[in-house]
Amino acid sequence: MTKLDLSRRSFLKASVVAGVSVYVAPMGGKAFAALFEEKILTPIQWDSSNGQSGGRVKFRIDGMAKVTGAKVFARDVRARDMPHWPDQQAHAFILRATKADRNFLGFDLGLLGDDLKPDRIVTAADLARDGLAFPAFYGEDMLLPPGKTAAYLGHAVAILIYNDFARFRFAKDKLQFKDEVIQYGPVTGPLERDPWGTFRFVRVGGATSFDDDVFSSLKNAPVFPSMMRKHQPVWPDGQEHGKLGEQGMFYAAQIQDQLDHPPADWLVMERNYNTQSVDTAALEPDNANCWYDSASQALHMVVPTQSPGEVVDSAIEMMKKGKFPLKQLFLHPCYTVGYGSKDHYNFPFYGLLTSLYADGKPVRLANDRYEQFQTSIKRHAFKMHYRIAVDRKSGLLQSFKGEFEANGGGRANFSPSVAMVGATAAQSIYYFPKNDLAAVAIASRAIDAGSARGYGTLQSMAATEMMIDEMAEKLGLDAIDFRLKNALRSGMKNTQGAIPAGAIRVDEVLQKAKNHPLWINRTKKKTEYEAGHPGYRYGVGFACVQKDFGTGAETSFAKVEISADGQIHLSHSAAEIGTGMSTSQAIACAKWLGKPAHEVRTSVTDWSDLPVVTSGDPYIMSQAEQDKLAANPRWSPGYSSPSSATNSAFYFTHSTREAARVIFMHGLWPAAMAIWSQGIGGGQAAPLVVRVEDARWVDGKLSAAGLEALPYQQLVTKAHELGLVTGATVHVFNRWQWTEAEFEILGNLTRIPLDGLSLRYGDGADKARKARMSTGGGYDVLNRKKVFIPPTQRNNAAVTYYSAVGTLVELAVHEASGKVELLTHHSIMECGNQISPQLVSGQLQGGLAMGIGHALHEYLPLYEDGPGNGSWNFNRYQLPRAKDVAVWSQTSEVLPPLTETDPPKGIAEVVMIPVVGAIVNGIAHAIGHRFTDLPVTQQNIQEVLA
């Protein structure tokens, strides 16, 4: 490829972070596309034959590249592919400790001989000398120094760098799986540390589900430990009129006492549930290719990441600590797949570190599958203790006491948040008048667990569904009828005392499941199937959950521009991680602009067109601090969220649509009115009542109230001619509700759900408007007149947005082998208005496979015999195959939206959860035994049937 002078590539824009010029060339942007002979992305092909409401994309924006094998990942890139890099590619691998119960003493490379000695070895001593350390989020001991015990199995101890591939490959083969390479002292026991986080949510509701709470987290506060003793939380003493934490423990004691001494009509069930550690099994193993150019003091990084903004900030934080000067940072965030495994993960910073010691050569650090199992983020193993009370006469749930222990492994990562979310999700679809839910994320020597898909809720809600099903059996009630009786309904409060957003439609999901042939005919079908299939047991199981989506501090940027030729250009801060986000955001523009974006840029971190600033922690800041900071019209509680927490459909779409809406309301609509009002007496519009809410796009034309349908291009031309708004850059923030602000747009004061806005005016704008477009990208940055940020107390709500899925599973258990065969499964989903039904279907199918794997197949030992020893691969770890997931017989349906105004909902995580409980409940129906530990293996079933 032709080498390009970076200074000539004006399309590679720069921003400044902490005094460092940051250049970002994301996949799909021109700078990254320049690396390859052909552009791998194709414009959206829009089939609008049925008008906007019936229009769909023909295939996703990266569809052709995916099916032809042309999609490019970070793992595919070498130094020679980068136009401005040196040609020589160096390679490196990491030595890791496989014992975490004794001191690390050093390592012996004698197996390599003289020919395979590394060109450079990096150890903890180098880092200490040069002042280098992990960014604060990732903890201590980026490389373990001799004399210390590894914090976790697989702790990195040294990096070996080679200037050529052949010697690197031979050396890695020589050392891999050789226990004698790492040297240890005598056994002293693993490290003992305080938990990564501890939370407690106590609620005592009012006389009815709609009355004010006596005590709740939202109304009052969550409960936190007063201290730690022997690494265990010590809770405050309960006092009815004490501090908030003491009040919470007073009511927790009341709940405990009532469960210990229940009324005669109560059934109190108590169970322990356990779920396993699971690998995220990302298609692309972790990798990084980095080059530190000491002459220009520039760092270049090619990495897969769900959170490019975090990589930028953390890389600069890390470099600022060391002796290696940094003036410029070039980040290339590529397309990837991760489902949490590449969100706030530490691998990019090992790549960064390696480049600093590679003598000016680009160096590639890339896991093979053994290393990926040894180091990648895992789904948390959970231990749960549940006590649930129900009134036998009414069949109504009364009280829920839950204790949750999430094994966070050796580094904190997001473990505190995962434990908290697992606890707050445990109520699933049910209303409880009283609850006491305590969660702890423990530190252990296991591999790091983090934001894997499900985020704690798969673990807790699957357990709830197992228990509810068993409780219905003990009460002699139909399991779905029992669920209907206790379903959380619109306006009721969750276990934190917050009212969920909008209509709660789980009762509709339950009704559909109740009337489905699989459920209606299950008893008859069991008799018939078992008679016709000797040696098999037949069962039908059901589970229904609703999962939150978002984090309580969701932020994003979006920029939508319409050029004079009608091309719609979308830039977004979100990363494409294989979910189809780039496609859905392109489609989202059509709601207001009548057609999808022609060009999409994702993972954008340069937002100089809208200079938003942020400071403080949005989760823990006081209201006084927020009020003070909000006086700055450019301040927001957050800057840019990673692609995680199922935030694409709802949160990212909000910023995209609001940017498009600003253009429509202040560009295309006034352009249309100008056309319709032409001529004597106010033109064709004057005799009619014309309201913007009556505007409709039909076949690429805009009409309202019977007015002439105007072609899209005619409106664009007019908007540019009049100098109206033709581009908008927006910033949004959501703390379980959207921030709103007042802006003056073209002389009109308007309140919109944004906290930052800048505008571009059409080519015909007058000198005054053009003068205001003073940013580097030619935008007029508006100062908000007022801002309405959700109060910090909203953090205590923990969640407010939910989407629901119910799943019926039909299965057969082979008595001799214990093998479970899924015959079919049917899912019922509630997700608002679908942006792209094809993408929703794909999410559902993929999520179901992951849930089936969790229920029946996937398992990792936590400690010495687990993947931390470096010997695990897919030969030992069982993922479900097509034959295991009823791929050809599965069915699904989606509840129709209430109206065309329903927002889309996040469903990427919830789709994998109910199938877990449904399988376990189906096994109970088949063999009469209820399992409480996951996965349910063939051996488990054989032991029961023996």
Side-chain angles (χ1 to χ4, degrees), residues 737-755:
Q737 68 185 75
W738 292 109
T739 292
E740 297 184 14
E742 292 181 354
F743 297 93
E744 186 176 321
I745 303 175
L746 300 181
N748 298 310
L749 191 66
T750 183
R751 177 168 169 166
I752 43 182
L754 309 170
D755 67 2

Side-chain angles (χ1 to χ4, degrees), residues 35 40 257 266 361 430 501 507 541 589 737 752:
L35 304 179
I40 71 161
D257 183 67
W266 280 22
K361 300 177 183 65
Y430 308 105
D507 54 339
C589 293
Q737 68 185 75
I752 43 182

Side-chain angles (χ1 to χ4, degrees), residues 489-549:
R489 287 174 167 81
S490 304
M492 289 183 173
K493 301 183 187 70
N494 63 19
T495 48
Q496 298 77 253
I499 298 174
I504 301 298
R505 304 179 65 190
V506 294
D507 54 339
E508 297 178 55
V509 174
L510 292 171
Q511 285 287 0
K512 280 189 169 290
K514 179 183 176 182
N515 295 323
H516 194 278
L518 277 177
W519 189 253
I520 293 173
N521 301 323
R522 66 192 185 282
T523 302
K524 178 183 176 184
K525 184 70 178 290
K526 181 175 176 67
T527 301
E528 294 174 348
Y529 188 91
E530 291 178 356
H533 299 79
Y536 283 88
R537 305 275 188 93
Y538 175 92
V540 172
F542 175 72
C544 183
V545 306
Q546 61 178 11
K547 190 196 178 299
D548 66 288
F549 48 94

Side-chain angles (χ1 to χ4, degrees), residues 12 38 135 138 195 226 245 312 440 479 496 632 657 705 782 820 923:
L12 190 65
E38 297 180 6
Y138 298 97
S226 56
V312 167
V440 58
Q496 298 77 253
N632 179 351
R657 282 185 170 166
L782 306 186
V820 177
I923 293 172

Side-chain angles (χ1 to χ4, degrees), residues 399-706:
S399 190
F400 183 8
K401 180 176 173 62
E403 297 169 3
F404 308 82
E405 180 187 281
N407 192 319
R411 296 190 184 275
N413 202 274
F414 282 122
S415 290
S417 176
V418 170
M420 179 189 72
V421 172
T424 58
Q427 75 177 104
S428 189
I429 63 170
Y430 308 105
Y431 176 74
F432 290 92
K434 299 177 183 179
N435 59 264
D436 175 15
L437 308 172
V440 58
I442 65 167
S444 76
R445 65 189 187 281
I447 301 170
D448 304 359
S451 56
R453 194 178 195 181
Y455 211 84
T457 67
L458 179 149
Q459 296 91 321
S460 62
M461 287 196 290
T464 302
E465 282 302 286
M466 296 176 208
M467 194 163 189
I468 290 295
D469 215 69
E470 183 180 2
M471 186 169 279
E473 183 181 42
K474 287 187 176 297
L475 293 173
L477 298 174
D478 177 274
I480 296 183
D481 283 338
F482 182 52
R483 288 174 167 89
L484 276 164
K485 188 181 289 286
N486 289 282
L488 186 78
R489 287 174 167 81
S490 304
M492 289 183 173
K493 301 183 187 70
N494 63 19
T495 48
Q496 298 77 253
I499 298 174
I504 301 298
R505 304 179 65 190
V506 294
D507 54 339
E508 297 178 55
V509 174
L510 292 171
Q511 285 287 0
K512 280 189 169 290
K514 179 183 176 182
N515 295 323
H516 194 278
L518 277 177
W519 189 253
I520 293 173
N521 301 323
R522 66 192 185 282
T523 302
K524 178 183 176 184
K525 184 70 178 290
K526 181 175 176 67
T527 301
E528 294 174 348
Y529 188 91
E530 291 178 356
H533 299 79
Y536 283 88
R537 305 275 188 93
Y538 175 92
V540 172
F542 175 72
C544 183
V545 306
Q546 61 178 11
K547 190 196 178 299
D548 66 288
F549 48 94
T551 63
E554 288 291 343
T555 60
S556 63
F557 287 90
K559 175 164 65 176
V560 177
E561 299 174 322
I562 304 180
S563 58
D565 62 0
Q567 294 284 299
I568 300 171
H569 305 271
L570 169 64
S571 298
H572 210 289
S573 56
E576 171 63 85
I577 60 170
T579 60
M581 181 281 300
S582 53
T583 303
S584 67
Q585 294 311 299
I587 298 169
C589 293
K591 177 179 175 65
W592 290 102
L593 304 181
K595 57 177 62 182
H598 299 86
E599 180 187 60
V600 181
R601 295 180 64 228
T602 59
S603 298
V604 176
T605 59
D606 168 31
W607 295 101
S608 51
D609 292 335
L610 181 56
V612 171
V613 298
T614 189
S615 57
D617 187 325
Y619 297 105
I620 62 175
M621 68 173 52
S622 67
Q623 187 63 46
E625 180 186 8
Q626 177 170 288
D627 292 344
K628 179 181 178 181
L629 292 168
N632 179 351
R634 306 287 173 80
W635 180 83
S636 176
Y639 191 75
S640 177
S641 293
S643 289
S644 58
T646 317
N647 55 10
S648 173
F650 182 78
Y651 297 97
F652 293 161
T653 299
H654 178 78
S655 52
T656 299
R657 282 185 170 166
E658 287 303 313
R661 181 177 180 272
V662 167
I663 294 173
F664 178 83
M665 297 295 291
H666 304 281
L668 300 186
W669 177 253
M673 289 302 301
I675 296 170
W676 287 325
S677 302
Q678 289 173 352
I680 189 169
Q684 61 174 291
L688 301 172
V689 177
V690 184
R691 296 187 177 97
V692 66
E693 57 265 32
D694 295 327
R696 297 291 186 273
W697 288 102
V698 180
D699 295 334
K701 297 179 181 181
L702 184 71
S703 182

Side-chain angles (χ1 to χ4, degrees), residues 263-268 389-396 398 474-475 477:
D265 292 332
W266 280 22
L267 166 66
V268 178
V390 61
D391 184 276
R392 294 177 187 271
K393 289 185 176 179
S394 66
L396 293 177
Q398 299 296 315
K474 287 187 176 297
L475 293 173
L477 298 174

